[in-house]
Amino acid sequence: MAVARATKGILLVAFLAAFSALSIATTLTRISRQHAVAPEAWAALERKELDLAASLFRQELQQRPRDAALHFGAATAAYALGQTGSALSSLKKAVELDPEFADALAMLGQVAYERGDSGLAIRSVEKASALRPRDGALKERLDHWRRESTVHDSYLEKPAGHFRILYEGSTQQSIGDRVARVLEREYSSVGRMLNSYPSETVTVILYTNREFQDITRSPSWATGKYDGRIRIAVGGALRPDDLDRVVTHELVHAIVASAAPRRVPTWLNEGLATYLESSDRSWVPETLRRARAVVPLDDLANGFSGLDEEQALVAYAESAVAAEILCTKLGRHIGGFLHIVGNGTSVDEALLAFQVQPDAFHAEWRRRVGFR
Ligand SMILES: [Zn+2]
């Protein structure tokens, strides 16, 4: 998710961790208890030993290819590993084998939505909700997606290279053109730097401010968000430079997600987006100098959503400093570093894999941000 710092010349962005959108744990417990087959695979999944779980489900499916619950288990492991394409095909198989498998339908809806297929998402959750009429969370998700879909249906669509841009009417034509130019330029430059490119067309939606808040439920200061789609509020008095920065910031999130879909600490994700969004970073030292409190990076690993606007600004500045140091120390290995962090390696271990001493990174960060 992203925030504008129009008044201070800054843009803030927070990132929605896709995994939190699903309350998978309780579902898994229920299904694995009902399902006597492959207990080791379910147990591995619950212990979050994802590679092991994925391989055990694969083995078991060779014996029982028509077991819908096993396809659901395989999908859950794949999803947690960030392999949403594989999760999607396993879920399609599960609901083909068992059309009344509500958990699989609900998850199919979520994965399809995250991959930008709102049509399949809505159809799947409609079926799940019909099977579980008392599930309020499902109903709410369905209502939200339907509202969003109605708004998007009224928008114009502009195909633009690696992107599909949706925007309202002719008044935003010039903004749409500008966004398309920035996206294509930064796609190459950020993609090259992080050595990763989104494998599919990225949907970019330009909202009026009111619709942006309504659809993303973002804090009032937010102007951008990435949640599988890039969403940007363009209706306010966003200056062209700020618009370019918001667009670039969200695009960095899309590219980080393609390199490392899961397990990237928020400070690293936001740090890269904030560091790469613009070459003007004069606000960073200024913000840190004025900050009443600087918090450790570990406290910024799981989202910035609990922070107020002032704390969030400091968090973005701290993260940007960390990203700058990492980019300098790792050079062309920053993409490889990101990739292994996404595979579950800790930041410190990943640094060692590229012969960078974690202590040196942390000491320089503490000095630069004034952490005592
Ligand atoms: Zn961000």
Side-chain angles (χ1 to χ4, degrees), residues 11-301:
L11 142 81
L12 305 178
V13 178
F15 180 69
L16 175 78
F19 205 22
S20 67
L22 280 174
S23 54
I24 283 181
T26 45
T27 304
L28 282 184
T29 307
R30 186 173 67 241
I31 291 178
S32 61
R33 280 197 189 127
Q34 290 164 354
H35 197 72
V37 174
E40 300 87 359
W42 295 104
L45 202 50
E46 290 193 43
R47 292 195 307 272
K48 296 197 172 70
E49 291 175 28
L50 302 172
D51 291 314
L52 175 64
S55 128
L56 291 170
F57 279 119
R58 224 175 7 250
Q59 281 170 29
E60 199 64 36
L61 275 164
Q62 284 176 354
Q63 312 302 317
R64 303 166 194 271
R66 300 191 56 77
D67 188 318
L70 288 177
H71 285 287
F72 178 81
T76 309
Y79 180 76
L81 286 164
Q83 298 158 0
T84 58
S86 161
L88 190 77
S89 47
S90 293
L91 289 165
K92 283 181 176 168
K93 192 76 197 164
V95 303
E96 182 193 311
L97 292 163
D98 180 358
E100 302 205 336
F101 192 167
D103 289 309
L105 284 163
M107 189 171 170
L108 175 60
Q110 183 65 35
V111 176
Y113 181 81
E114 287 173 22
R115 290 173 58 84
D117 189 344
S118 298
L120 176 60
I122 290 172
R123 286 194 303 280
S124 306
V125 174
E126 272 170 354
K127 289 178 194 160
S129 188
L131 291 162
R132 294 237 176 98
R134 280 183 297 187
D135 188 328
L138 263 186
K139 177 84 173 51
E140 193 191 331
R141 199 189 308 170
L142 182 59
D143 288 347
H144 186 71
W145 288 352
R146 280 178 173 154
R147 268 202 311 282
E148 180 183 294
S149 182
T150 306
V151 170
H152 294 175
D153 284 349
S154 71
Y155 281 20
L156 298 177
E157 182 172 337
K158 177 187 170 72
H162 301 93
F163 303 90
R164 166 178 171 255
I165 303 176
L166 301 177
Y167 59 102
E168 228 183 319
S170 55
T171 48
Q172 292 189 2
Q173 177 84 49
S174 62
I175 294 179
D177 292 346
R178 184 177 180 104
V179 168
R181 281 197 304 276
V182 174
L183 284 169
E184 277 306 319
R185 187 185 68 214
E186 299 300 329
Y187 179 91
S188 305
S189 112
V190 177
R192 200 178 319 114
M193 173 158 186
L194 298 182
N195 195 25
S196 182
Y197 300 87
S199 57
E200 286 163 46
T201 303
V202 179
T203 298
V204 180
I205 309 153
L206 310 181
Y207 295 99
T208 63
N209 284 11
R210 190 183 53 76
E211 277 167 341
F212 175 80
Q213 304 302 341
D214 184 36
I215 285 174
T216 64
R217 299 161 176 168
S218 300
S220 60
W221 39 262
T223 55
K225 178 170 183 160
Y226 175 74
D227 58 3
R229 299 155 182 77
I230 292 176
R231 303 171 192 270
I232 297 166
V234 297
L238 208 56
R239 294 173 310 172
D241 284 355
D242 287 325
L243 176 64
D244 294 0
R245 186 161 49 201
V246 175
V247 170
T248 306
H249 183 111
E250 299 308 332
L251 177 62
V252 174
H253 285 316
I255 292 176
V256 167
S258 74
R262 303 275 184 267
R263 299 190 272 202
V264 175
T266 305
W267 64 261
L268 177 55
N269 201 340
E270 292 300 346
L272 286 168
T274 309
Y275 174 59
L276 297 174
E277 70 188 20
S278 163
S279 55
D280 176 9
R281 304 180 191 104
S282 53
W283 65 275
V284 172
E286 255 173 61
T287 300
L288 291 168
R289 203 162 39 241
R290 284 198 310 264
R292 274 181 288 203
V294 172
V295 301
L297 285 179
D298 281 349
D299 290 359
L300 300 175

Side-chain angles (χ1 to χ4, degrees), residues 320-336:
V321 170
E324 181 178 0
I325 298 168
L326 290 175
C327 288
T328 306
K329 287 192 180 296
L330 289 159
R332 66 190 170 85
H333 296 301
I334 185 74

